[in-house]
Amino acid sequence: MITKEKVNIKPGKLFIDGKWVDSVSGKTFNTINPATEEVLTMVAEGDREDIDHAVKAARKAFEEGPWRKTDARDRGKILLKIMDLIEKNKEELAWLETLDNGKPISETTTADIPLVLDCLLYYAGWADKIHGETIPVRGEFLNYTIREPVGVVGQIIPWNFPLLMAVWKIAPAIACGNTMVLKPAEQTPLSALRLGEFSQEAGLPDGVLNIVTGYGPTAGAALAEHMDVDKIAFTGEYITGRLIMQAASKNLKRVSLELGGKSPNIVFADSDIDSAVNGAMTGIFFNQGEVCCAGSRLFLEKSIHDEFVDKLSDKASSLRVGNPEDAGTQMGAQISKEQFDKILGYIDSGKQEGAKLVTGGERCGNKGYFIKPTVFDEVNNNMKIAREEIFGPVVSAITFDDVDDMVRKSNFSIYGLAAAVWTKDIKKAHKLARELKAGTIWINTYNTFDAASPFGGFKQSGFGRELGIHTLELYTQVKSVWINLGN
Ligand code: ADP
């Protein structure tokens, strides 16, 4: 493992048309390490004009550049080269991610980076397998379809898995032959900029991938509104998702949204309790709870409730929270002061609404945005902590003894991103998989991901599926071609 000191943290510029440039305004902003509250470096602050330059570069690359003529298999090869470069530099990237985001180095090395590599490998394989059909129409005609790229794609990503979210978006877009403007989250711009360097080294033509760092309401909004962007892909809060849709309506650009969640994690008495406790831990404390599909509502069958809560609170209180740079750390810092305050605000609201605080409930240490793993018991599904997305290490336990009522409550949410069921009864598991309104259902597991399996939301958790074959639909459009074979 390379040491942190070897990580080259330099000031970040915008990546437009294959060049590294300052923002038009010359403005910059700082990116900080949330574990120390210290500035890591500064990054160019892109705004409307920079977005416009990036979109123009992407348009030119799409219409005129060598990209149009690049064979599909060669697009796949570029993805493989990017993958190789990330693999070669994986320790540096893991550090960059840990320093910029505050998540433990043990997680960036074992979760973020391997998932990034797998996603690139998966979509590299797709590049030359995206094809149309011949259709048996009436009459003397040959009718076939072509799957063409959508065009210039805007991609706005969050800060919880910075590099992974970038790759979830750029890998399928490249496989399908689009050009892109990527706007990383202002909290975590560094790994995306490194990705820009790798893309260039891997031979991606100038202008195919442009990266504009900047704030959401300025650079992000300009991208979502831009009249020459054909599609916008967004991951973030549902409130922002609404703004994106409104902005996208200006030129009716295609939209895909991956938004928040308040996912039910349901434990039956007939489950393997120790596995379920581990699943509940992963479900809510992985990545400091900064996971859109976090298992934040924990439904516990009455007969195992006491045993479960005891075991969960023991584990939660002994979780090693602290310096993300230590190999043994299990939970790092929340991303920002804003998130930190928001989470503590929810903890207060839980106490005020009468939930029972079992463990945690306060900050950890006095420097950096650390919060203790927090378990609330005796939560009512109508309380704010059971309704709203906290995006932090706070779980709300809700007891049930009537399955139908529990299912109703599980589904009583504006969100529908994920749900999990813990039981040894296969019939019950499959039945619930049908009844729960969510885009992903986990049975006897939690937070399991694979580049080949689709991910996305029901209800206000968004629409469009990322990963798997389904993303190819987001990044291509179908053309129907008719040929008269008659007279
Ligand atoms: P969070 O509050 O967790 O940071 P956001 O939804 O605000 O989640 O942020 C996710 C991404 O959306 C970030 O890249 C952010 O800069 C961007 N963003 C925020 N507001 C807007 C907006 N009004 N228009 C476009 N993008 C935005």
Side-chain angles (χ1 to χ4, degrees), residues 156-159 183-187 214-217 220-221 224 234-237 240 243-244 339:
I156 301 176
I157 55 170
W159 42 260
K183 197 207 78 68
E186 53 271 37
Q187 297 84 349
Y215 291 100
F234 170 77
T235 300
E237 276 193 68
T240 318
L243 297 175
I244 300 275
Q339 279 298 119

Side-chain angles (χ1 to χ4, degrees), residues 372-388:
K372 289 186 181 166
T374 299
V375 178
F376 274 112
D377 193 15
E378 298 173 18
V379 176
N380 172 317
N381 201 44
N382 296 319
M383 289 178 186
K384 205 166 146 186
I385 53 167
R387 283 197 329 267
E388 297 182 16

Side-chain angles (χ1 to χ4, degrees), residues 224-242:
E225 274 173 26
H226 202 289
M227 295 301 282
D228 201 29
V229 170
D230 298 303
K231 173 193 162 49
I232 193 99
F234 170 77
T235 300
E237 276 193 68
Y238 83 110
I239 300 273
T240 318
R242 287 185 194 164

Side-chain angles (χ1 to χ4, degrees), residues 24 74 129 134 137 143 147 179 220 230 233 240 251 254 344 370 383 417 430 442 461:
V24 172
D74 291 333
K129 295 168 197 71
T134 49
V137 292
N143 179 241
R147 272 201 175 267
T179 61
D230 298 303
T240 318
N251 69 333
R254 284 146 189 71
L344 291 175
F370 296 93
M383 289 178 186
L417 194 55
H430 285 294
W442 286 300
S461 289

Side-chain angles (χ1 to χ4, degrees), residues 450-468:
D450 191 287
S453 180
F455 183 75
F458 280 29
K459 299 190 264 180
Q460 292 189 48
S461 289
F463 49 83
R465 293 290 176 271
E466 293 191 300
L467 303 185

